[in-house]
Amino acid sequence: MYKNYLKVAYRNLIKKKSYSLINIFGLALGIACCVLIFMFVHDELSYDTYHVNKDRIYRVTHGESSKDGKTGPFWVWGNAPVGPALKSDFPEIDKVVQFSGRADILLSNGDKLYQEDGVFFMDSTAFDVFSWKVLRGDPKTALADPYSIVLTETTAKKYFGDEDPVGKTLKGSESSGRSAAGDYTVTAVMEDVPANSHFRFNALLSLNTFRKSRPEIFNEWGYVDMYTYFLVNDQFNEAAFKSKIPDFIKRNIQYPDSRYTIAIEPLKNAYLGTDADRQPGETGSMSNIYVFSVIGVFILAIAMINFMNLSTARSLERSKEVGIRKSVGADRRNLISQFLGESLLIVCLSTVVALVIVVTALPYMTDFIGKEFAIEGFVTWQNISFFVAVMSVVGLIAGSYPALVLSGFNPVMILKGISRSQAGGANMRKGLVVFQFSLSIALIAGTIVVYDQMSLLLNKDLGFDKEQMLIVDYNYDGAVNNKSQALKTELEKNPSIVSVAFTRSVPGGYYPHAYTQIEAPDGEMKGQGQPIFQVGMDFVTHFGLELVAGRTYSKEYPSDSSKALVLNESAARQYGYTDPKQIVGKKFDQWGRAGVVIGVVKDFNFTSLHRTIEPLTLPFEPYACRYMCIKVKSAGMRETINAIGEVWKQLAPHRPYLYSFLDDDFERQYKSDLMFRRLFTTFACLAIFIACLGLLGLATYTAQQRTKEIGIRKVLGADVRHIVALLSADFMKLVLIAVAIATPVAWYAMNQWLQGFAYRMEIHPTVFILAGLIALSIAVFTISFQSIKSALMNPVKSLRSE
């Protein structure tokens, strides 16, 4: 019997090749999309799970409590003394590991000279807490001595090739005031940090190097330049630990009126579950995980509905087979098992095709979203078992409806040539189409919102010039800062260069915070912690910042070098001045500099549009600068870049010429948003395509049912246009119902997604009108294909049996 079922299934697949191809490919595409989305979600959820003690690792976040008792926002980047204090006060903490903010340094071995942009000063306990595999050297002592360095495998090959680097030295330069200059002994080589780590690096320097050069900051609770992680033992209770934090703060913080506090965060939340600022690396978005998971379920559901509709569309062709089988003794259970078996066979074939699609698409997926996926990493017994279970359920669900419909045919009516489907079945199919297109319209609306929001981010006036702005990174090199005026003078001789300025920070990049006191309206000195951009003389005019009060720095005022301060409007409001002109002339005290405020610039977006504009000061400190910013003309860009390189080789031959464009650097903040847009749009389009296959199936089914009706209408004089309108009208009603259902759902979902942006678009009704029109157009095109084919059919053929 089962052999017969297999033969019949095979013959049916071969008999209707086009239907079989659409059925198998449509379901395969849905399964492939679901698998690819699963791989993406699995990768996002796998961050930091490779650490053996992942469930026992926590980190400290730093914040301030307000007068009403609320706390936040929190930073991960904080002071150094908190680590030893926690270890001393809490016996449930086994190990503490601290590391500095990222330290980009110039490393060299002979003529091999590179600026490493992923380096941290790290505690010797790093390998006790984190599970990084050391290939050569002793992990216990690798970071113990000052001027020790641990290289990743890739970095080691870059400097030493295939030689064993342990025991050899690399020369290091200064790094952001951390006194990193000196000869570093390579004490260990470790495997490259896994890609699914919330922070990654190319090399680790001993934290004792930093401690030796600047011991004072390791006792200053107000100095910010350290990340603190710790490993707890079995006696650790998170709730009890948190309840002890206020007493811990009181014991250790002696500053009057201090609102400083800390919180703790488990490592498992570091990538997807954190709201803290100043992360040591990248973070993901749990809301994006939910969105893609829902899209994956939508696509699989649409593919299953598509399979049901296409199978049902062919049911009339197999009605006589069902009638004969029933007449010779087959009961409904046998027929259901036959058709469910055929369904599972198609699912198996679709799964094979889906896996081929996945393997083929993976390299493109890597380029598409910037993540490298290796299918071997997902081939585990757990994943295989889960996949087989899901595919079995898909086969049973997708085949259940066609099986029940086909097995329910009345054999007497079938063999008499009467084959009417029940109204309930027709309503079920219509409901499935409404469901399909509700999902499709929601995805279309979501795509429009995502595109409009990203256009807002990329095209909004940020309040500063970022076009044709070349940024040369020399990493705080004192020799370059000493030659800054010579570089500026020489470069500005080039007619293709508009202006040159120097700064420690650029919009979209790193910036420090400083405790700043400014005279308030009542005459008292009011202190606040806030971002600062340490800048050179021409920063304000070079970046096109608008002055709203006072003046900017000028060579005509020698005192500007130490006794002047420029800030933005938000900073003026922070200190109590609604009119920025009122703060000009007020006293300030910041990081050892004291004087008066000389100017206020209009607020500009120096961070991504996920955040509102913060108070910002722009102290004049040319010797603290890191970047040379060059505004160039668009014509002859390549020649200009080469000319700048020649000047750089003459005046700063000891450093590599590293440049980038500010607009590219700034937009890099939206890397995850752009990836989200690409993935969302791609999978939305695939879902709509699969839904159209389902609509084609139902249109085919309806046209088959009304073949004789169409023939009679043509004999009585109906033209093609009227018949197409007749066949399309019901489907258009279904799509309009789908628009009504999808609109509130899509509005709510996308409004929630937009909450992650400080600057966001308004969702206008036109978004849903446009989504509905697009869906309607797609539906009309899909239905018209079958409707026109039916309308053009020769009525003689359809009426021959009458």
Side-chain angles (χ1 to χ4, degrees):
M1 182 178 67
Y2 292 107
K3 184 178 179 182
N4 176 261
Y5 287 169
L6 190 60
K7 281 184 180 180
V8 172
Y10 173 75
R11 287 169 182 168
N12 277 305
L13 288 174
I14 297 300
K15 183 179 178 181
K16 293 289 185 179
K17 294 183 177 66
S18 57
Y19 268 111
S20 300
L21 182 63
I22 291 174
N23 223 346
I24 293 171
F25 179 73
L27 190 55
L29 192 58
I31 295 170
C33 290
C34 208
V35 170
L36 288 170
I37 289 173
F38 169 77
M39 293 177 74
F40 172 78
V41 171
H42 182 275
D43 182 75
E44 289 288 288
L45 294 175
S46 72
Y47 269 69
D48 301 307
T49 55
Y50 64 88
H51 293 293
V52 173
N53 298 316
K54 57 183 180 295
D55 296 325
R56 294 169 49 209
I57 300 174
Y58 288 77
R59 66 180 183 178
V60 178
T61 59
H62 310 257
E64 290 186 347
S65 58
S66 59
K67 293 179 180 178
D68 58 4
K70 295 181 179 179
T71 57
F74 281 91
W75 290 5
V76 189
W77 195 42
N79 59 67
V82 70
L86 285 170
K87 183 70 172 65
S88 173
D89 286 18
F90 294 95
E92 58 265 47
I93 294 178
D94 273 352
K95 298 282 184 179
V96 173
V97 58
Q98 292 185 294
F99 54 95
S100 69
R102 199 184 75 183
D104 302 343
I105 70 170
L106 195 68
L107 289 175
S108 62
N109 177 29
D111 60 350
K112 295 179 180 178
L113 179 71
Y114 302 98
Q115 181 164 303
E116 294 295 343
D117 58 359
V119 178
F120 293 95
F121 287 88
M122 182 81 69
D123 256 335
S124 59
T125 52
F127 298 102
D128 296 325
V129 176
F130 301 116
S131 301
W132 297 319
K133 186 176 180 181
V134 175
L135 304 175
R136 299 187 187 94
D138 183 356
K140 297 291 184 184
T141 60
L143 291 169
D145 297 330
Y147 292 96
S148 299
I149 184 170
V150 174
L151 304 178
T152 63
E153 195 171 11
T154 298
T155 306
K157 286 182 178 179
K158 184 165 65 173
Y159 290 97
F160 297 100
D162 295 328
E163 296 178 36
D164 183 357
V166 175
K168 296 182 171 60
T169 59
L170 289 172
K171 181 175 281 296
S173 69
E174 289 289 324
S175 173
S176 184
R178 297 188 181 97
S179 300
D183 292 332
Y184 285 85
T185 302
V186 179
T187 53
V189 176
M190 58 175 280
E191 283 187 348
D192 290 348
V193 182
N196 58 342
S197 299
H198 75 281
F199 74 96
R200 296 190 288 274
F201 50 84
N202 298 322
L204 297 176
L205 308 178
S206 167
L207 188 63
N208 284 328
T209 310
F210 192 5
R211 186 178 281 109
K212 182 178 180 181
S213 62
R214 299 191 63 189
E216 71 281 358
I217 70 167
F218 287 83
N219 297 312
E220 293 182 12
W221 287 82
Y223 189 92
V224 176
D225 193 16
M226 213 62 65
Y227 295 97
T228 302
Y229 288 62
F230 57 91
L231 179 69
V232 299
N233 57 32
D234 295 336
Q235 283 71 50
F236 178 78
N237 181 288
E238 186 172 340
F241 186 94
K242 289 179 178 178
S243 68
K244 300 174 186 176
I245 287 177
D247 289 337
F248 169 79
I249 295 296
K250 287 179 183 178
R251 286 195 302 273
N252 289 280
I253 304 299
Q254 307 299 325
Y255 302 116
D257 302 322
S258 172
R259 299 203 305 267
Y260 172 77
T261 187
I262 64 169
I264 62 170
E265 190 173 69
L267 180 68
K268 62 185 179 183
N269 292 348
Y271 182 70
L272 288 174
T274 182
D275 292 323
D277 289 333
R278 307 310 287 265
Q279 297 284 340
E282 61 183 357
T283 57
S285 168
M286 185 57 78
S287 64
N288 287 356
I289 296 297
Y290 291 141
V291 168
F292 287 126
S293 299
V294 169
I295 289 176
V297 173
F298 281 4
I299 290 176
L300 192 58
I302 290 172
M304 289 164 59
I305 293 169
N306 167 52
F307 175 82
M308 291 180 187
N309 284 339
L310 285 174
S311 297
T312 307
R314 292 189 57 202
S315 64
L316 288 178
E317 299 175 14
R318 302 187 66 182
S319 58
K320 289 185 179 179
E321 176 194 339
V322 173
I324 293 171
R325 284 185 180 277
K326 280 196 167 185
S327 66
V328 296
D331 60 18
R332 192 171 186 187
R333 186 178 59 182
N334 296 131
L335 292 169
I336 289 174
S337 64
Q338 176 191 347
F339 293 121
L340 282 179
E342 290 183 15
S343 171
L344 289 170
L345 176 62
I346 293 175
V347 169
C348 289
L349 292 173
S350 297
T351 301
V352 173
V353 176
L355 293 176
V356 172
I357 294 173
V358 168
V359 172
T360 305
L362 273 182
Y364 301 99
M365 188 84 167
T366 299
D367 295 335
F368 195 56
I369 64 174
K371 280 179 173 288
E372 187 171 350
F373 296 118
I375 198 166
E376 298 83 11
F378 299 90
V379 181
T380 64
W381 284 114
Q382 294 90 337
N383 288 344
I384 291 173
S385 302
F386 177 74
F387 182 71
V388 170
V390 170
M391 290 303 99
S392 300
V393 172
V394 168
L396 292 173
I397 294 175
S400 60
Y401 177 52
L404 292 172
V405 170
L406 289 168
S407 63
F409 284 162
N410 187 320
V412 176
M413 296 182 68
I414 291 171
L415 295 176
K416 284 183 178 181
I418 303 170
S419 55
R420 295 189 181 92
S421 63
Q422 297 177 352
N427 291 333
M428 174 67 122
R429 289 189 293 274
K430 290 178 181 179
L432 292 176
V433 170
V434 170
F435 180 68
Q436 277 185 315
F437 269 83
S438 295
L439 298 182
S440 300
I441 292 164
L443 290 173
I444 293 170
T447 301
I448 295 171
V449 171
V450 169
Y451 260 88
D452 286 350
Q453 177 63 20
M454 289 309 301
S455 295
L456 172 67
L457 295 185
L458 299 177
N459 299 322
K460 185 182 182 298
D461 181 8
L462 302 174
F464 66 91
D465 294 340
K466 64 182 177 71
E467 305 301 326
Q468 277 79 55
M469 191 74 73
L470 193 75
I471 307 297
V472 178
D473 181 3
Y474 57 89
N475 198 31
Y476 310 97
D477 192 306
V480 176
N481 279 328
N482 289 332
K483 294 180 179 180
S484 60
Q485 189 57 48
L487 280 163
K488 177 180 172 65
T489 300
E490 189 64 28
L491 288 171
E492 288 181 347
K493 292 177 182 178
N494 189 327
S496 296
I497 293 175
V498 179
S499 61
V500 178
F502 290 81
T503 178
R504 176 177 181 174
S505 308
V506 293
Y510 163 83
Y511 53 86
H513 279 63
Y515 184 74
T516 306
Q517 290 182 304
I518 293 182
E519 183 182 357
D522 60 5
E524 296 293 324
M525 295 296 286
K526 181 181 178 182
Q528 299 283 352
Q530 60 196 199
I532 68 169
F533 273 30
Q534 292 159 288
V535 302
M537 180 69 68
D538 301 316
F539 181 88
V540 171
T541 54
H542 177 81
F543 278 91
L545 304 185
E546 181 182 341
L547 273 168
V548 295
R551 63 177 179 84
T552 185
Y553 302 113
S554 172
K555 294 177 182 177
E556 297 178 6
Y557 298 89
S559 61
D560 284 0
S561 61
S562 59
K563 298 181 179 180
L565 183 67
V566 174
L567 40 73
N568 70 353
E569 293 173 297
S570 292
R573 287 192 294 271
Q574 183 185 37
Y575 288 98
Y577 297 95
T578 54
D579 183 355
K581 294 178 182 177
Q582 296 173 346
I583 200 172
V584 176
K586 300 298 182 180
K587 292 183 290 185
F588 81 89
D589 190 333
Q590 180 190 69
W591 272 6
R593 300 172 73 252
V596 297
V597 176
I598 63 169
V600 180
V601 297
K602 186 176 181 179
D603 281 344
F604 64 100
N605 294 96
F606 59 92
T607 60
S608 86
L609 297 179
H610 281 277
R611 300 168 59 181
T612 56
I613 298 174
E614 296 181 79
L616 174 72
T617 59
L618 304 166
F620 176 62
E621 296 189 57
Y623 293 103
C625 292
R626 170 175 181 164
Y627 301 105
M628 180 172 66
C629 309
I630 308 166
K631 189 184 298 183
V632 299
K633 295 177 181 178
S634 56
M637 182 71 72
R638 175 48 54 190
E639 291 78 8
T640 305
I641 292 173
N642 292 336
I644 295 169
E646 290 302 317
V647 173
W648 186 262
K649 289 178 183 177
Q650 293 174 15
L651 295 177
H654 62 293
R655 293 206 69 92
Y657 174 43
L658 304 174
Y659 68 87
S660 60
F661 284 94
L662 182 60
D663 54 352
D664 293 336
D665 294 342
F666 196 85
E667 288 171 12
R668 201 166 289 123
Q669 298 175 104
Y670 307 121
K671 175 185 174 183
S672 62
D673 298 309
L674 292 169
M675 179 185 70
F676 177 82
R677 182 179 73 175
R678 287 193 294 270
L679 285 175
F680 191 100
T681 305
T682 300
F683 288 118
C685 290
L686 289 170
I688 294 163
F689 173 73
I690 296 170
C692 288
L693 291 178
L695 191 60
L696 177 63
L698 191 54
T700 304
Y701 178 82
T702 303
Q704 285 177 336
Q705 282 188 313
R706 303 176 73 173
T707 300
K708 288 185 174 61
E709 177 191 345
I710 293 168
I712 293 170
R713 287 181 180 275
K714 290 195 74 175
V715 169
L716 295 176
D719 60 16
V720 173
R721 181 167 50 88
H722 287 97
I723 293 173
V724 170
L726 176 71
L727 293 173
S728 303
D730 288 342
F731 294 111
M732 296 305 100
K733 292 176 185 176
L734 298 180
V735 175
L736 290 174
I737 293 171
V739 171
I741 294 172
T743 296
V745 175
W747 179 87
Y748 176 79
M750 298 316 297
N751 190 59
Q752 291 297 112
W753 178 73
L754 288 171
Q755 298 309 308
F757 299 89
Y759 300 88
R760 47 186 176 266
M761 61 167 285
E762 293 292 330
I763 305 180
H764 297 289
T766 52
V767 170
F768 304 102
I769 294 172
L770 180 59
L773 288 174
I774 292 172
L776 203 59
S777 301
I778 292 171
V780 167
F781 177 79
T782 305
I783 295 164
S784 296
F785 173 78
Q786 181 61 38
S787 299
I788 293 171
K789 179 182 175 182
S790 300
L792 292 174
M793 186 183 298
N794 188 338
V796 175
K797 291 182 178 180
S798 58
L799 297 174
R800 182 176 292 166
S801 62
E802 293 296 321

